[in-house]
Amino acid sequence: MDTSVYFENISKEIAKRLDDATYEIVIAIAWFTDANLFNILRRKASHGIHVKLLYLDDKINKGASFNVRQLEAFKANVFPISPEMQSTNIMHNKFCVIDGRHIVTGSYNWTNRAKSNDENITVFLDNPEIGVHFLKAFDGLLEKYNYQKSVNVSPNAVIPRLEVIKNFVLLDEWDEARKQLEKLRSFEELWDLSRLFVSVDQKLSDEATAWIAAFVRDKMSLVVHEDEDIKELKIELRILEFKVVALSAEKDGLEKKIFEFQQKTNLILGELTAEYLRIKSEKKQKEADRVQAQPDKKEKLQSEAKQARAEYERYHEDFAEQKRKPTPLELSDDDKKELKKVFKNATQYCHPDKVSDEQKELANERFIKLKMAYDTNDLVAVRGIYEDLVKNRPYTENSEQLSTGALLKYEINKLETTSNKLLDEIESLNASIVALGIGAISDWDEYFESQRKSLVTAIEELKMELLNAE
């Protein structure tokens, strides 16, 4: 599983995920005018990918350069929602489920205008558990807008065979699983079993077992009954948990980028910068000493010399402090990518915002160790912590253990506040990266070599000016 948050090039990221679809794309989107995304859907549908699209049939979408209904020519299922079909609240969902296990959701509508807005999306990869919940939400929307009738027949008629199928799947007995599944064909008019058929056909054990587990949990009477509102709140909390941890990892990554830039600046340019400021200070002082007979001019030059000396001393002190900090290990570009990915995945297991109050202290200790290893580019340590977390699963997520609506709503509100705070912090960090010019640097080695040469030249020129001032 991998969860990432995107703030830029969102349309391109969505396009990439759509291009990766192998058998199904399910979309609920309010506004859809992005012709590039539509063309990808049309191409995927023409290649046999099953597309389902629920959208608003309103003035905005009718003004698009394409007609969504063209997808129907390729056997796609298109579900327009006209103004007459809605109550006072419009359908404003924005999510897409790809192959039952990859999810794109967030504030971004699939429009040309949204490309220039401040929006974000969260992408869940290889997460069939979350995928099942979004697919269930999609089915709920179809039912709400009368595209799908609710089923009143008891699902107890199929539970024994589903359990048998699940066991065969876990044993990798795919032929036997398929034989049992064929016996459920008659129930396809009651429930959409297409995803289960595809999962078995393609031997996707995670998707098949997740689908069966969700079906049993949501529809069967053999599990302890749980109020529907509680289940929905748990889903909302779980999605928020993933998002907050992904935002936290994004923030950590930006902070790390700024820190590494500052560290490299000090390592390569620090001594030269200090030397430049020292000579500049001496030059200013000599210029002030030369105008003894001109009090007004001397006072101005003496003030400038004092400021230059203070600037040098302040930089020298900061430079000495920076040198005492540990220098991150040098990594190849591939190792840097792996470090970021493993760190993000590890945070999903031990982030303090996901666990119960009783476990927060222990989780925080583990998280601090993880972040220290990440900040110093210790890929071996980050891998070790991640592997240990996967094997031992030491923490219980709040979404798994809370069982009352009040507690779930409290945690949801708390995480929403945390999410908004993280978004503000990320915006501020991105502004700092722009101000430092980091984002415009394509090759750090080339950049710092150019800066080093410029500083050497500036120092030589300043030395000549200092000699002339004597």
Side-chain angles (χ1 to χ4, degrees), residues 168-180:
F168 279 129
V169 167
L170 293 173
L171 292 170
D172 283 336
E173 297 287 347
W174 294 101
D175 290 339
E176 293 300 325
R178 179 70 196 203
K179 289 177 185 177
Q180 295 297 324

Side-chain angles (χ1 to χ4, degrees), residues 337-400:
K337 289 178 182 177
E338 183 184 354
L339 177 73
K340 185 175 181 179
K341 181 178 180 180
V342 176
F343 171 73
K344 280 171 52 181
N345 290 340
T347 58
Q348 291 291 349
Y349 287 94
C350 67
H351 198 285
D353 282 329
K354 288 186 74 174
V355 305
S356 63
D357 289 339
E358 299 80 41
Q359 296 176 320
K360 277 191 188 300
E361 185 175 351
L362 186 61
N364 194 52
E365 290 177 8
R366 184 74 65 90
F367 182 73
I368 289 172
K369 290 180 181 177
L370 174 66
K371 191 170 185 307
M372 285 179 62
Y374 175 62
D375 287 341
T376 55
N377 287 349
D378 192 342
L379 179 56
V380 174
V382 171
R383 278 191 197 130
I385 294 171
Y386 173 61
E387 289 168 3
D388 180 57
L389 288 167
V390 171
K391 289 177 183 177
N392 297 320
R393 299 278 303 191
Y395 310 111
T396 304
E397 296 171 357
N398 268 340
S399 54
E400 293 179 2

